[in-house]
């Protein structure tokens, strides 16, 4: 595997030198395609041509079997399904190749990466194992649904400015009953190690910034990854309560131990905020006036429960910076609410605060990537049964999108008659895909030609299938592995239980 990785970068350097000084885009694309083919160790020709069909198909991918009719896929539909179900993709080698590709960076040269979960919904897949309930949004406002499927944790590098492009670097399926934060921490740790080995980060470079939405415990994630050159930026709920630093211990005459926490900082109570440490006002073209205020060295008061239930000794103090962002208007015309952010850095400057809220708004670019995968590339279209097959197909889609990103400087604007022309550097992934067939003709294909063969006899006519697939139940599984049961006062038809108001806590 290490030898393949070295061959991949050597091939990229040789072709880039022969590219005529065009930034290495064509050479990098050819090298990545060859490196991707080397990662396919079983049914490699079929898997490679299947990825080619995804990129060269006319219009959105509606079904996986329909890709066998695309000209770039020279095999039959039987070979297509056999490759997805029984092929082999060296994911470790492919992850290493993705870490070595050129990545977008912020203005100060740092890598900004977004982490989010996107589900592959399989509500009717009763024979699919390892399904768990995935959180989805309904059609109405504030309508949330839990639908069975396979959730995938995706990490992608973000660009600056208004763009629908990202650079996906890793995808990992989340099994039922796992600690999502622990899996995310391990995923980030492995990715950072690969980026450092590939030379994407060196000593004295700015720390990498990982941006996450609400649902992740930012302070705990920053504590688990405190030994890495990274920073964590996460959105917080508006009902949180943080604590200020403990006051100085003055040795009172009556004795007593020193306090570990200062006064409360209640997000919903402006009277508890006090004087902000940093305040900025920025005029934006999309959101109008953006007002940002920040308070330094705030921390949550941890409790011995959930992930901290087995903690031995005093609870750690996880200090960071709390940022409150308010904008004048929203493009969608929705309810304008303030956004609360927590950044793992301290001793914050105006430049740090400005970078944090701008990069958090760029985090939503990963939603464009998910929509491109699902609506155009057909990520969730196949009705596969085996989770391993879903993983292979997911990595094919991720690799196909990476090839589109490497082809941005080579693609022409093949716009439809009713579409407006755009600059070459502003082409969207869908428009780049329209011209990928012409780019592919110049890069060549490492896949070998198919050998003539005859289809198998299949099941004899009139014989029923006596090997029925096993059916799997989907239940709410907790981190402990136990099945979740709804409390009695949450059951339908019962009155809600009244409880006394609990005191505010961090």
């Amino acid at each position: 595997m290490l030898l393949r990785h070295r061959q991949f970068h050597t091939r990229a350097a040789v072709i880039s030198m022969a590219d005529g000084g065009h930034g290495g885009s064509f050479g990098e694309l050819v090298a990545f395609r060859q490196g991707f083919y080397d990662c396919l160790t079983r049914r490699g020709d079929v898997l490679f041509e299947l990825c080619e069909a995804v990129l060269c198909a006319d219009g959105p991918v509606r079904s996986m079997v329909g890709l066998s009719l695309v000209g770039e896929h020279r095999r039959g539909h039987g070979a297509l399904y056999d490759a997805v179900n029984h092929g082999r993709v060296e994911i470790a080698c492919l992850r290493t190749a993705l870490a070595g590709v050129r990545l977008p960076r912020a203005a100060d040269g740092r890598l900004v990466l977004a982490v989010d979960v996107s589900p592959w919904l399989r509500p009717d897949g009763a024979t699919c194992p390892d399904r768990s309930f995935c959180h989805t949004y309904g059609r109405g406002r504030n309508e949330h649904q839990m639908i069975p499927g396979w959730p995938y944790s995706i990490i992608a590098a973000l660009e600056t400015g208004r763009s629908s492009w990202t650079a996906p670097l890793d995808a990992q399926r989340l099994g039922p009953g796992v600690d999502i934060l622990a899996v995310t921490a391990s995923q980030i740790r492995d990715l950072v190690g690969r980026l450092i080995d590939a030379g994407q980060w060196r000593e004295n470079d700015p720390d990498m910034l990982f941006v996450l939405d609400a649902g992740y415990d930012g302070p705990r994630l920053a504590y688990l990854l405190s030994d890495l050159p990274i920073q964590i930026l996460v959105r917080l709920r508006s009902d949180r309560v943080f604590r200020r630093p403990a006051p100085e211990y003055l040795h009172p005459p009556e004795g007593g131990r020193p306090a570990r926490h200062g006064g409360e900082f209640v997000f919903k109570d402006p009277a508890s905020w006090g004087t902000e440490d940093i305040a900025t006002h920025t005029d934006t073209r999309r959101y109008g006036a953006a007002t940002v205020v920040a308070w330094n060295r705030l921390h949550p008061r941890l409790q011995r429960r959930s992930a901290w239930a087995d903690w031995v000794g005093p609870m750690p103090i996880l200090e960071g910076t709390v940022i409150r962002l308010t904008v004048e208007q929203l493009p969608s015309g929705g309810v304008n609410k303030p956004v609360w952010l927590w950044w793992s850095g301290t001793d914050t400057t105006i430049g740090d605060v400005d970078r944090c809220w701008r990069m958090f708004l760029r985090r939503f670019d990963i939603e464009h990537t998910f929509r491109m995968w699902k609506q155009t590339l057909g990520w969730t279209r196949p009705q596969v049964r085996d989770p391993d097959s879903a993983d292979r197909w997911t990595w094919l889609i991720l690799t196909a999108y990476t090839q589109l990103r490497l082809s941005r400087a080579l693609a022409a604007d093949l716009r439809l008659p009713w579409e407006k022309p755009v600059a070459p550097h502003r082409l969207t992934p869908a428009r780049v895909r329209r011209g990928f067939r012409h780019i592919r003709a110049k890069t060549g294909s490492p896949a070998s030609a198919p050998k003539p063969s005859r289809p198998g006899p299949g099941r004899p006519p009139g014989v029923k299938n006596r090997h029925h697939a096993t059916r799997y139940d989907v239940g709410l599984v907790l981190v402990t592995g136990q099945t979740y049961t709804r409390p009695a006062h949450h059951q339908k038809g019962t009155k809600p239980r009244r409880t006394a108001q609990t005191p505010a806590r961090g």
Side-chain angles (χ1 to χ4, degrees), residues 41-119:
T41 56
R42 182 189 297 168
R43 313 293 198 276
D45 294 334
V46 187
L47 289 174
F48 187 86
E49 291 189 353
L50 179 59
C51 185
E52 298 277 270
V54 171
L55 292 170
C56 300
D58 296 329
V61 177
R62 302 299 183 185
S63 64
M64 188 169 65
V65 69
L67 296 175
S68 62
L69 303 178
V70 180
E72 283 70 18
H73 189 275
R74 298 175 293 178
R75 273 78 176 176
H77 62 276
L80 182 149
Y81 279 106
D82 180 66
V84 174
N85 294 326
H86 304 289
R88 180 182 298 168
V89 180
E90 297 294 342
I91 297 179
C93 180
L94 188 54
R95 282 171 170 161
T96 303
L98 289 169
V101 178
R102 287 183 301 164
L103 300 178
R105 297 178 181 270
D108 58 351
R110 77 174 67 237
L111 288 173
V112 182
L113 303 104
V115 184
D116 204 354
V117 176
S118 184

Side-chain angles (χ1 to χ4, degrees), residues 290-312:
T291 303
V292 183
V293 291
W295 295 267
N296 194 22
R297 294 193 176 278
L298 298 182
H299 65 274
R301 184 173 181 177
L302 305 179
Q303 304 291 333
R304 294 187 183 275
R305 60 187 180 188
S306 185
W308 303 96
D310 300 331
W311 182 264
V312 179

Side-chain angles (χ1 to χ4, degrees), residues 27 36 68 156 400 427:
F36 167 58
S68 62
L427 292 179

Side-chain angles (χ1 to χ4, degrees), residues 430-441:
R431 291 201 181 187
V432 173
R433 179 173 175 263
R434 293 176 188 171
F436 187 82
R437 176 171 288 171
H438 306 287
I439 301 174
R440 172 193 174 275

